[in-house]
């Protein structure tokens, strides 16, 4: 009887050690919905490619991303993240400029309640409980994730992430 208990205890210790090892080391699986063919930093699943972000002026960001930010946009802010692998962009535009922004940027139709920006940013100025519409695509080697949310004054805020493919 004692031999059986000893074997069970050893088995549990081995399984526990394997479990701890797997939790600590993680895995090299890409993020959900990720692309396994994109080069990544071992063990992180993050892309190793970087965006050319020497110039983060609005004109340079538009050229890089293919976005057509309306001339009427205000409160334009950018933030470089993750060693130039990502750029966050936000701006506010009049509601009647939204269609031109989407068409001029070549974005697919937005989907209601589709959250495509999966991280927080001090740029977002989050408004909990407001409707959100989002879409993501890839253009010229740049992953573009765009969310639009209404502002209290009737304008529309764009929250955008650009990532290297």
């Amino acid at each position: 009887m004692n031999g059986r208990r000893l074997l069970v205890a050893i088995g549990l210790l081995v399984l526990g050690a394997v479990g701890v090892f797997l939790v600590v080391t993680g895995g090299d699986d890409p993020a959900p919905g990720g692309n396994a063919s994109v080069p990544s930093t071992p063990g992180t699943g993050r892309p190793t490619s970087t965006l050319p972000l020497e110039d983060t002026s609005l004109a340079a960001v538009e050229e890089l991303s293919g976005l057509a930010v309306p001339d009427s946009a205000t409160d334009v802010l950018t933030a470089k993240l993750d060693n130039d692998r990502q750029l966050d962009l936000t701006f506010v535009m009049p509601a009647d400029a939204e269609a031109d922004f989407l068409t001029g940027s070549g974005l697919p139709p937005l989907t209601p309640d589709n959250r495509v920006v999966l991280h927080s940013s001090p740029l977002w100025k989050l408004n909990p409980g407001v409707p959100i519409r989002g879409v993501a695509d890839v253009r010229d080697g740049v992953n573009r994730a765009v969310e639009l949310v209404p502002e209290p004054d009737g304008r529309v805020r764009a929250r955008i992430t650009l990532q290297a493919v």
Side-chain angles (χ1 to χ4, degrees):
M1 193 76 158
N2 285 338
R4 190 178 299 175
R5 286 185 180 167
L6 180 61
L7 286 175
V8 169
I10 290 172
L12 289 174
L13 284 173
V14 169
L15 288 174
V18 169
V20 167
F21 174 80
L22 291 174
V23 167
V24 169
T25 62
D28 288 338
D29 293 340
N35 182 346
S37 67
V38 174
S40 64
T41 304
T44 66
R46 293 191 329 225
T48 56
S49 303
T50 58
L51 295 168
L53 296 176
E54 297 79 31
D55 180 3
T56 56
S57 68
L58 188 54
V61 171
E62 287 178 305
E63 183 177 336
L64 168 70
S65 65
L67 295 172
V69 178
D71 291 336
S72 57
T74 59
D75 303 329
V76 177
L77 298 171
T78 61
K80 295 193 301 183
L81 304 169
D82 200 18
N83 294 324
D84 291 350
R85 291 184 187 103
Q86 179 172 315
L87 179 74
D88 288 350
L89 167 69
T90 188
F91 59 87
V92 179
M93 64 185 147
D96 61 1
E98 180 182 320
D100 288 339
F101 165 66
L102 296 172
T103 303
S105 300
L107 289 163
L110 296 171
T111 304
D113 300 321
N114 186 21
R115 182 168 298 281
V116 294
V117 176
L118 301 179
H119 72 283
S120 63
S121 172
L123 301 182
W124 296 159
K125 300 184 192 273
L126 296 177
N127 299 330
V130 300
I132 187 169
R133 296 168 291 133
V135 67
D137 70 355
V138 177
R139 181 175 176 160
D140 297 330
V142 177
N143 288 317
R144 308 184 306 173
V146 177
E147 292 179 349
L148 298 182
V149 295
E151 288 283 289
D153 62 6
R155 297 180 301 159
V156 177
R157 176 171 298 278
R159 299 190 305 221
I160 300 166
T161 62
L162 306 172
Q163 292 181 322
V165 172

